C-alpha cells in the first residue's frame, strides 16, 4: 500500500532531500537563492487498474517531482525532452514578472521543446506563497506530466493562521485513462465529438480501493491506494491540487473538519468545512486536526468525486485515499474504515455557497488591492458551438458537425510562430491580429431557450492589446447554445479578484451594485458557473503575451494578449 507521513511516495528520496534543504535554509535564516532542478521528460511504464502502459513523465516519476522554493527565490529548471512528443511546461499560477519566456504555453510564449531538445526555464517567485503546480502545456500530455510547486514564506515569516501545521502533504487529484491519452484526444479532434472520459480519478497518481481490480482483488487495490499516516493531536496542512483534465471535484475526509486557509497560493480568511470543491487548475491549502484520542489503526477515507450538472458524459466514479492513525508504540487494531458523505453530483447550491465563503485576508500585511476605477470593461461569452464537418468527412458532433469551443464566438487557431516571439521581433503580421471583440458581435439570450439557429463559430488568432497598467473588469458569461456547462478558466501571468458571480444572464445595470470590492477572493483560476457568469478585476501590470484558457476539453478556450490579457479560442486541453 502506498503511504506517506509527510509527502507523496513518488520520488520519495528527492522529495525528502528537498524538504531537508528547505528546513536547513530556514534554520540558517537564508536569503533568497537560486534553486536548480533537472527535469528529464521521458517515457515510463506504469501499471494502474490491472493494466500497464507507457506514459510521459519527468524523471520517471508519476506524479512528477515536487518543486520547492521560498517566496523571493529564483528558479532554474533545465528540461531535457527525451520523449517522442513535442513538450512545453507551464508553472501554473506563477506570475512570471518580466519572465514571460518561461511561462510555457506552446505557441504562445515559446515553441515547444522538440524530442532531443532542451530548454532552461528561469523565473523568480515574487509576492506568492502557498501551493501551485506545474504541468505540460501542449495537447493532452498534462494527463500524466504534472507535479506540485510548494512555496514557503521567507525564512522567519510565520503563516498568518494558527495552529502552525506539524506536517505538510501535497495531495494531487488527477485522472487515469487505460488508453493512450494522445490517442484519445486525436480521435476526438478527428471525429469532432467529445473525448472519451477517464477510467478513474487518482490521488497522487493512485486510483484507490473503490475501483474494480480483477487482477488481484484487495491486494492490488492496496498497492494502488494512497495512505496518509498521521499522529493523534497533530495538525496537518493538505496542499490540494486539482490536476484533473476535466472535472471539478468534491473532497472530504470522513469524520474530520478541514479549515481552508489558502487558495491558488493566496491567503484567505480561514473557515471550516466538511466538504470542499476544487476546479481543474485550482489549489487550496487546508488544515486537518488529527483526533487526539484516535486509536492506533483507525482509518478514514479521503474521497473525491466530480461535481457536474451538464448533460454530457463524464467519469462518474470516486477516488479514495486512506487517512490512518499511526502509533509505533502500540499495536494497530483491526478497525472499520469510515467513509465521508459527499454532496450530490449536481449540487450547484453547495458549490455556490462554498465559493461565496472565499474571501481575501484584506489585512495590512496582505491587502486586497482590488481595482476600484476601471479603464476597460470586457464581456466574454464562453461555451460550445460547432464547426462544419469536412467534405466527405464523418463527424460525431451535433447534426453531423464538430464541437468547437469559443470565446465571443471566436475559436482560437494556434499559430506556427509563438506570439511572444512574433511580438518581440516586431513580426506579428500574419501571426495574429489585435481585433478580438470586447463584447459579443451578435448579442442573444445567452442562457435561455431556444438557442441561436446558427451554432457555427469563427476561427482566428486574435488578441486584445492593453496599455501597461490598465485596470480591467472582465465578465465571463456561460452560454447554453449546446448545453450549459462549467468552465474553469485560468489567466496566465496575473492574479485577479473575483468580485461577483451569479446565474442566468449578467445584468450590467443591477449586478455590479452587488460586487464585493472590499475583500473578494484573489485567484488565478476560476470556474464560470454552468448557466451563469463570473466577474473578475485585475491590473494589467505584467508585460507580454498572456493567455486565458479553460482547463477542460469541453470548454477549451485559449486567449492571447499583449501587455496584459487576452484573445480567444480553442485548444484541446
Amino acid at each position: 500500500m502506498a503511504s506517506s507521513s509527510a509527502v507523496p511516495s513518488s520520488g520519495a528520496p528527492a522529495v525528502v532531500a528537498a524538504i531537508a534543504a528547505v528546513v536547513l535554509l530556514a534554520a540558517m535564516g537564508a536569503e533568497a537563492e537560486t534553486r536548480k532542478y533537472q527535469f528529464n521528460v521521458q517515457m515510463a511504464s506504469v501499471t494502474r487498474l490491472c493494466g500497464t502502459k507507457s506514459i510521459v513523465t519527468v524523471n520517471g516519476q508519476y506524479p512528477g517531482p515536487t518543486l520547492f522554493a521560498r517566496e523571493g527565490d529564483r528558479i532554474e529548471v533545465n528540461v531535457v525532452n527525451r520523449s517522442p512528443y513535442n513538450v512545453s511546461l507551464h508553472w501554473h499560477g506563477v506570475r512570471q514578472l518580466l519572465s514571460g519566456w518561461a511561462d510555457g504555453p506552446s505557441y504562445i510564449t515559446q515553441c515547444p521543446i522538440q524530442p532531443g531538445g532542451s530548454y532552461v526555464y528561469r523565473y523568480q517567485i515574487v509576492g506568492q506563497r502557498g501551493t501551485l503546480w506545474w504541468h505540460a502545456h501542449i495537447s493532452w500530455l498534462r494527463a500524466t506530466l504534472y507535479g506540485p510547486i510548494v512555496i514557503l514564506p521567507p525564512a522567519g515569516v510565520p503563516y498568518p493562521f494558527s495552529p502552525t501545521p506539524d506536517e505538510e502533504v501535497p495531495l494531487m487529484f488527477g485522472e487515469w485513462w487505460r488508453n493512450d491519452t494522445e490517442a484519445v484526444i486525436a480521435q476526438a479532434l478527428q471525429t469532432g465529438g467529445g473525448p472519451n472520459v477517464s477510467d478513474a480519478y487518482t490521488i497522487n497518481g493512485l486510483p484507490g480501493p473503490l475501483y474494480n481490480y480483477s487482477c488481484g482483488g484487495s491486494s492490488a487495490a492496496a498497492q494502488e491506494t494512497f495512505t496518509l499516516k498521521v499522529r493523534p493531536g497533530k495538525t496537518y496542512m493538505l496542499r490540494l491540487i486539482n490536476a484533473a483534465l476535466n472535472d471539478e471535484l468534491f473532497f472530504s475526509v470522513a469524520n474530520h473538519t478541514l479549515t481552508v486557509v489558502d487558495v491558488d497560493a493566496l491567503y484567505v480568511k480561514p473557515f471550516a468545512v466538511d466538504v470542499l470543491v476544487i476546479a481543474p487548475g485550482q489549489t487550496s491549502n487546508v488544515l486537518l486536526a488529527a483526533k487526539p484520542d484516535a486509536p492506533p489503526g483507525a482509518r478514514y477515507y479521503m474521497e473525491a468525486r466530480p461535481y457536474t450538472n451538464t448533460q454530457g458524459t463524464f467519469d462518474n466514479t470516486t477516488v479514495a485515499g486512506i487517512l490512518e492513525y499511526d502509533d509505533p508504540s502500540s499495536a494497530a487494531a483491526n478497525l472499520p474504515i469510515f467513509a465521508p458523505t459527499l454532496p450530490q453530483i449536481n449540487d450547484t447550491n453547495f458549490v455556490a455557497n462554498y465559493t461565496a465563503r472565499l474571501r481575501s485576508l484584506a489585512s495590512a500585511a496582505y491587502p486586497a488591492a482590488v481595482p476600484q476605477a476601471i479603464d476597460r470593461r470586457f464581456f466574454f461569452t464562453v461555451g460550445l458551438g460547432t464547426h462544419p464537418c469536412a467534405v466527405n468527412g464523418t463527424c460525431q458532433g451535433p447534426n453531423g458537425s464538430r464541437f468547437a469551443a469559443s470565446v465571443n464566438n471566436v475559436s482560437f487557431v494556434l499559430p506556427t510562430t509563438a506570439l511572444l516571439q512574433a511580438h518581440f521581433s516586431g513580426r506579428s503580421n500574419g501571426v495574429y491580429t489585435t481585433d478580438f471583440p470586447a463584447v459579443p458581435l451578435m448579442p442573444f439570450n445567452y442562457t435561455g431557450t431556444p438557442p441561436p439557429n446558427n451554432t457555427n463559430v469563427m476561427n482566428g488568432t486574435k488578441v486584445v492589446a492593453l496599455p501597461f497598467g490598465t485596470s480591467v473588469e472582465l465578465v465571463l458569461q456561460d452560454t447554453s447554445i449546446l448545453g450549459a456547462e462549467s468552465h474553469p478558466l485560468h489567466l496566465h501571468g496575473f492574479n485577479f479578484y473575483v468580485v461577483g458571480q451569479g446565474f442566468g444572464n449578467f445584468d450590467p445595470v443591477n449586478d455590479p451594485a452587488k460586487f464585493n470590492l472590499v475583500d473578494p477572493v484573489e485567484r488565478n483560476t476560476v470556474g464560470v458557473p454552468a448557466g451563469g457568469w463570473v466577474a473578475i478585476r485585475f491590473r494589467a501590470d505584467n508585460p507580454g503575451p498572456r493567455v486565458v484558457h479553460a482547463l477542460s476539453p469541453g470548454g477549451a478556450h485559449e486567449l492571447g494578449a499583449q501587455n496584459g490579457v487576452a484573445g480567444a479560442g480553442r485548444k484541446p486541453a
Side-chain angles (χ1 to χ4, degrees):
M1 178 181 295
S3 64
S4 174
S5 60
V7 294
S9 58
S10 176
V15 170
V16 171
I19 290 176
V22 169
V23 171
L24 178 61
L25 287 169
M28 296 171 60
E31 298 291 335
E33 66 173 52
T34 299
R35 301 182 186 275
K36 298 183 179 183
Y37 291 85
Q38 179 68 36
F39 277 21
N40 297 319
V41 178
Q42 61 194 64
M43 306 303 293
S45 292
V46 174
T47 299
R48 297 290 186 270
L49 302 177
C50 303
T52 300
K53 70 173 185 177
S54 184
I55 65 172
V56 186
T57 69
V58 164
N59 301 344
Q61 301 174 27
Y62 169 65
T66 300
L67 191 157
F68 285 92
R70 284 195 179 275
E71 180 182 349
D73 283 351
R74 294 172 294 277
I75 306 297
E76 289 188 9
V77 185
N78 183 34
V79 178
V80 177
N81 185 9
R82 297 173 178 168
S83 81
Y85 303 105
N86 286 345
V87 168
S88 68
L89 296 183
H90 170 51
W91 318 94
H92 189 105
V94 174
R95 287 289 311 277
Q96 299 294 358
L97 294 169
L98 301 179
S99 55
W101 298 103
D103 196 36
S106 291
Y107 301 107
I108 305 298
T109 61
Q110 69 172 101
C111 291
I113 308 166
Q114 298 182 9
S118 64
Y119 186 79
V120 180
Y121 293 90
R122 295 183 175 91
Y123 54 91
Q124 187 171 16
I125 306 295
V126 180
Q128 294 179 283
R129 76 297 300 171
T131 303
L132 298 172
W133 62 301
W134 60 264
H135 60 82
H137 208 296
I138 185 170
S139 191
W140 262 23
L141 295 186
R142 76 176 178 92
T144 60
L145 202 57
Y146 60 79
I149 300 176
V150 172
I151 306 171
L152 300 175
V157 177
Y159 290 128
F161 52 78
S162 60
T164 300
D166 297 292
E167 295 186 52
E168 303 180 7
V169 186
L171 290 186
M172 296 199 78
F173 307 118
E175 290 180 271
W176 179 262
W177 279 260
R178 287 187 170 93
N179 294 327
D180 176 15
T181 52
E182 290 302 282
V184 171
I185 187 57
Q187 179 187 31
L189 293 175
Q190 180 180 8
T191 64
N196 292 335
V197 300
S198 55
D199 296 291
Y201 297 104
T202 59
I203 295 177
N204 290 345
L206 300 170
L210 304 184
Y211 292 97
N212 180 26
Y213 292 86
S214 57
C215 56
S218 59
S219 61
Q223 293 177 2
E224 296 183 17
T225 299
F226 177 78
T227 297
L228 173 63
K229 294 188 176 182
V230 300
R231 298 287 183 88
K234 298 288 187 180
T235 298
Y236 296 81
M237 186 160 74
L238 307 182
R239 294 177 175 268
L240 307 178
I241 303 166
N242 188 350
L245 267 70
N246 295 345
D247 293 314
E248 296 180 71
L249 297 171
F250 294 118
F251 174 72
S252 181
V253 181
N255 296 1
H256 288 73
T257 298
L258 304 174
T259 301
V260 181
V261 296
D262 179 301
V263 297
D264 292 359
L266 296 152
Y267 296 129
V268 297
K269 291 182 172 69
F271 63 97
V273 296
D274 295 323
V275 182
L276 59 82
V277 64
I278 185 169
Q282 291 182 339
T283 68
S284 186
N285 288 354
V286 299
L287 300 181
L288 181 146
K291 299 176 180 297
D293 54 356
R299 296 178 296 167
Y300 302 84
Y301 276 140
M302 307 181 289
E303 291 186 0
R305 77 173 182 208
Y307 155 70
T308 182
N309 55 9
T310 65
Q311 301 300 314
T313 58
F314 57 93
D315 183 354
N316 188 12
T317 63
T318 301
V319 59
I322 295 176
L323 182 87
E324 181 176 348
Y325 281 81
D326 183 34
D327 185 352
S329 64
S330 303
N334 185 16
L335 301 172
I337 302 180
F338 296 93
T341 300
L342 293 170
Q344 293 296 312
I345 200 165
N346 61 350
D347 195 340
T348 296
N349 287 334
F350 176 92
V351 175
N353 291 334
Y354 175 82
T355 55
R357 298 182 68 183
L358 293 168
R359 301 293 181 94
S360 292
L361 275 185
S363 64
Y366 304 100
V370 190
Q372 301 294 312
I374 298 299
D375 301 314
R376 293 288 305 274
R377 285 184 166 84
F378 296 91
F379 182 82
F380 289 174
T381 57
V382 295
L384 292 176
T386 59
H387 280 145
C389 193
V391 176
N392 298 323
T394 301
C395 296
Q396 298 177 356
N399 300 317
S401 65
R402 295 180 294 141
F403 278 114
S406 70
V407 176
N408 280 355
N409 207 45
V410 179
S411 190
F412 188 75
V413 177
L414 279 175
T416 55
T417 301
L419 297 185
L420 179 56
Q421 178 183 349
H423 175 63
F424 184 79
S425 63
R427 299 177 181 177
S428 60
N429 288 341
V431 178
Y432 63 85
T433 60
T434 58
D435 58 346
F436 182 79
V439 296
L441 298 180
M442 298 182 64
F444 61 99
N445 185 1
Y446 307 112
T447 57
T449 55
N453 292 327
N454 183 2
T455 62
N456 287 339
V457 304
M458 298 181 291
N459 295 324
T461 307
K462 300 175 181 289
V463 307
V464 171
L466 295 172
F468 180 83
T470 301
S471 294
V472 177
E473 179 180 288
L474 170 59
V475 176
L476 298 158
Q477 172 74 62
D478 182 36
T479 66
S480 58
I481 296 175
L482 296 177
E485 64 175 10
S486 176
H487 302 273
L489 284 157
H490 171 52
L491 176 56
H492 287 232
F494 296 93
N495 294 328
F496 53 78
Y497 293 94
V498 183
V499 297
Q501 62 183 32
F503 294 101
N505 295 337
F506 174 72
D507 183 342
V509 175
N510 296 313
D511 284 331
K514 306 171 189 174
F515 285 176
N516 176 10
L517 303 181
V518 177
D519 62 348
V521 67
E522 188 177 358
R523 307 209 70 141
N524 63 58
T525 303
V526 67
V528 180
W533 56 271
V534 64
I536 66 175
R537 288 187 176 188
F538 64 94
R539 196 175 308 280
D541 57 0
N542 192 3
R546 305 297 175 182
V547 297
V548 177
H549 67 88
L551 283 117
S552 59
H557 318 297
E558 176 125 24
L559 291 81
Q562 293 184 50
N563 299 329
V565 113
R570 164 158 172 70
K571 75 184 188 70

